[in-house]
Amino acid sequence: MAQLVLDVAGISKRYGDVEVLRDVSFQVGKGETVCVLGPSGSGKSTLLRCINWLERPDAGQIYLNGAQVGITGGGLVMGDRDLSRIRTRIGMVFQHFALWPHLTVLQNLMEAPVQVQKRDKAEVRDEALALLAKVGLSEKRDSFPAKLSGGQKQRVGIARALAMRPDLLLFDEPTSALDPELVGEVLVVMRDLARDGMTMVIVTHEMGFAREAATRVLFLDHGRAVETGSPERFFSNPETERARQFLQRYAGDAAGGRR
Amino acid sequence: MIHDFGIVWSERALLLSGFANTAILSALSAVVALLLGCILTPALMSKHQAVSGAARVFVDGMRCVPFLLLAYIVYYGLPSLGIRFDNWTSGLAALIIYNAAYMAEILRGAWVVQPREPIEAGVAFGFSEIKLFRRIILPPLLLSAGPVLGNQMIQIVKDSAFLTIIAIPELTHAASSIQSRHYVPFAAFITAVFLYWGLCLVIEAGVSSVGRVAEARR
Amino acid sequence: MSGGDIAAIFQGAIVTVTLSLIGILIGLPIGLGLALLRWANVPVLARIVALYVSVSRATPLVTLLLLLFFALPNIGVPVSPTSAAVLALVMNTSAFNCEVWRSALANFPKDQYEAAQSVGMRAGLRFRRIVLPQIVRVSLPGLVNEMSMLIKATPALAVVGVVDITRAAVRIGAQTYKPLPPFLVAIALYVPIVFVLVSLQRWIERRQLAAKVAA
């Protein structure tokens, strides 16, 4: 494996009586695209949200480029300051976009680099414009999010995350809130990022995308990492019965004309 | 301090009669204002420009005038036109006229966001205009506007305190009397404040039970 | 009614507007502060704020003002009618503003906040750059409504001797034995002031609705 970017070691999380994640471990190397698959309720989103500590794991460790996330060197839970510093290195793309409605598209991209990273405004602006060109939304730079389609919003969401020059990008079901005809334009952008060697962890139900763009697949079921491996092997010859059932259901859906 | 509250306690009859007057004034004017509001609302929504325009001027006018000024006009102003009421009648009339406008506006606000279909179904079933309003439009309005109507009732209770200025012996007036007689301002007025609070809590509890009914019928 | 009388009512209008403005300007941030205490669920303080708001919303301004004006000197705090008036207005309006701010905060979308966290914004920055601009927009109609409510409650200030529009009109009515003309002048002063606020509120609501429909 290439240089290790993310190391998730034995993460567990419970809400009351429900165990959402049970001892999940996996690693992501630089330039990898890992797709996290699994039935709904299997804990995929929670796993993703634990990586940048939007949810606090009950047990286990997370390391980004060798530095532990959420716990200080002294073994204490990180405060707002330390956590925020680490989060600048981890970009996140949200299911419902979460664009800031009071800022224009360009301002959405520039907000954090200028306010958090304190980078030079002119330089950030140039970079943001280049990112907008990359996701094909140059002409929308002065629009407000409310004026965009879902697909456009999500492309802005991706560009906003990229504007921070993160080491790792997390996607939380980036296409599941979109109308079917808008899914493609977002997947194109994500595929390009994978090709360019961006390190990504993607929670998704888009099996076609996972098969084609992922370097590795992680299959979650009832909060456990049941299976991990190359997409070729996972999709053609899954090791576990659970994964087989899961894939069959998707194949059935696809045959039935549904996504 | 405890001694002060002892004095207030010894004047409890006065305070309670003030409280009762506040409660009666508020309840009576709330009921009548709501009834008048129910009549005023269809006027606001009327297709006849003259009717809706006149209703609009009245409602907006009341919404732009402080209650106390209206009470003064009824009590001190009208006699110069030869119309003379005692302070009770003036106060009650002012509370009713003023709040009828607010009630009407609240019901209108609830009306415009009502789904159209049940109303159209009523038309299709041949209800006359008055019957349509009374039996089809109004009941869901009252339920959905419940919380806002409740707020307005609290506003009526608070407006009624202004009537101390035209010497109606309501709660604030009673507290003022106790304070001037014994010089126990804190004990007298804080007791009044808590009695007002209690009255509003009762209104809020009433509103939330109406809310439960509304929820069950959604 | 002489020209001097009308001038006196205008004087009263200046008092009404000035005191209202002071009350609004101080009451807005205090209301926000109280709402934040409740939102952050600060132990004990959040409870106290909830109680304070509940009682204040039920307390008539007249009663509150009488309480402050007579009871404060009793515990050794001398107050002029004007300072008692400002204090009462601020206490009254901050409780209402608190409720407006609080409901905006309570309905603030969680993922907006998380998006700010995910790019490494710290608490202060998140609030200032992401939360505040959005809740101001949501709260605006409610806050403007509260401003017009405040102005309509200001005649209460007369009970401690502040000479506002209403008090000036009453005084002239008593002197001339013709109370109706000064009251009509008073109405002519209140209506435009409050109407501007009511129209502003409607305009904001319509604009926000249009923006929502367009989206």
Side-chain angles (χ1 to χ4, degrees), chain B:
Chain B
M1 185 57 77
I2 292 174
H3 176 69
D4 289 0
F5 281 100
I7 292 172
V8 173
W9 178 246
S10 70
E11 292 277 19
R12 61 190 175 278
L14 177 59
L15 208 57
L16 282 179
S17 85
F19 180 69
N21 284 338
T22 289
I24 292 166
L25 271 173
S26 308
L28 203 57
S29 42
V31 169
V32 182
L34 185 56
L35 287 175
L36 286 180
C38 290
I39 297 171
L40 211 49
T41 308
L44 278 174
M45 299 287 282
S46 171
K47 288 184 202 75
H48 303 287
Q49 290 267 303
V51 176
S52 65
R56 176 53 53 204
V57 167
F58 169 71
V59 168
D60 280 356
M62 287 300 145
R63 295 216 305 161
C64 291
V65 172
F67 171 70
L68 182 61
L69 190 61
L70 179 74
Y72 272 146
I73 288 176
V74 175
Y75 186 55
Y76 292 117
L78 290 187
S80 51
L81 300 178
I83 308 166
R84 196 173 298 272
F85 300 122
D86 64 6
N87 56 352
W88 268 95
T89 319
S90 307
L92 196 58
L95 270 179
I96 289 169
I97 298 168
Y98 192 71
N99 284 288
Y102 286 81
M103 296 289 190
E105 180 65 14
I106 290 167
L107 291 176
R108 189 199 64 85
W111 190 343
V112 291
V113 297
Q114 287 285 311
R116 293 216 52 79
E117 277 192 354
I119 300 175
E120 281 162 3
V123 175
F125 275 76
F127 278 87
S128 72
E129 254 180 56
I130 291 173
K131 258 213 165 119
L132 183 71
F133 178 71
R134 201 160 55 83
R135 302 206 55 94
I136 307 290
I137 301 176
L138 190 57
L141 278 192
L142 290 175
L143 284 181
S144 71
V148 196
L149 291 172
N151 277 344
Q152 193 57 36
M153 285 176 198
I154 291 174
Q155 193 58 43
I156 294 177
V157 171
K158 292 165 65 179
D159 281 345
S160 75
F162 277 117
L163 300 177
T164 186
I165 298 175
I166 58 171
I168 291 181
E170 46 70 70
L171 182 52
T172 299
H173 197 264
S176 289
S177 311
I178 295 171
Q179 114 78 14
S180 59
R181 209 176 291 168
H182 304 284
Y183 202 65
V184 285
F186 181 76
F189 287 117
I190 205 74
T191 309
V193 163
F194 278 96
L195 287 171
Y196 278 115
W197 187 43
L199 199 54
C200 292
L201 289 182
V202 169
I203 294 174
E204 276 170 9
V207 167
S208 74
S209 62
V210 170
R212 273 195 297 278
V213 173
E215 198 61 38
R217 294 197 182 181
R218 267 238 292 253

Side-chain angles (χ1 to χ4, degrees), chain A residues 49 80 87 99-100 102 111, chain C residues 112 114 117-118 123 129:
Chain A
R49 293 160 59 81
D80 192 34
R87 282 174 180 150
L99 298 183
W100 297 311
H102 59 298
E111 177 70 11
Chain C
Q112 281 290 314
E114 289 179 345
Q117 284 181 303
S118 79
R129 304 281 310 182

Side-chain angles (χ1 to χ4, degrees), chain C residues 94-148:
Chain C
S94 59
F96 279 88
N97 287 340
C98 171
E99 282 305 280
V100 176
W101 288 119
R102 193 174 72 89
S103 100
L105 284 169
N107 294 317
F108 188 75
K110 192 165 161 242
D111 66 351
Q112 281 290 314
Y113 198 74
E114 289 179 345
Q117 284 181 303
S118 79
V119 291
M121 289 193 183
R122 295 185 55 191
L125 200 58
R126 289 198 292 266
F127 181 72
R128 199 158 47 80
R129 304 281 310 182
I130 304 300
V131 179
L132 191 59
Q134 296 190 52
I135 62 167
V136 164
R137 191 179 300 192
V138 174
S139 304
L140 214 49
L143 294 174
V144 174
N145 178 51
E146 171 46 26
M147 290 173 199
S148 62

Side-chain angles (χ1 to χ4, degrees), chain A residues 88-160:
Chain A
T88 60
R89 313 301 327 133
I90 309 174
M92 187 160 194
V93 176
F94 291 80
Q95 182 177 358
H96 296 283
F97 331 121
L99 298 183
W100 297 311
H102 59 298
L103 303 177
T104 64
V105 165
L106 186 59
Q107 286 169 340
N108 260 280
L109 265 62
M110 292 175 61
E111 177 70 11
V114 171
Q115 296 291 333
V116 178
Q117 292 177 322
K118 312 271 184 212
R119 279 155 58 190
D120 176 61
K121 211 167 176 174
E123 173 212 309
V124 169
R125 191 184 147 86
D126 290 343
E127 202 173 307
L129 289 173
L131 283 168
L132 282 180
K134 192 172 170 181
V135 299
L137 289 172
S138 295
E139 78 283 10
K140 295 288 184 189
R141 64 182 204 191
D142 295 322
S143 301
F144 282 93
K147 300 284 181 199
L148 304 182
S149 74
Q152 291 171 333
K153 281 183 192 165
Q154 196 57 296
R155 286 187 278 155
V156 174
I158 295 170
R160 177 176 71 177

Side-chain angles (χ1 to χ4, degrees), chain A residues 35-53:
Chain A
C35 282
V36 183
L37 309 176
S40 31
S42 57
K44 305 185 297 291
S45 285
T46 308
L47 175 63
L48 201 71
R49 293 160 59 81
C50 281
I51 293 174
N52 65 353
W53 265 57

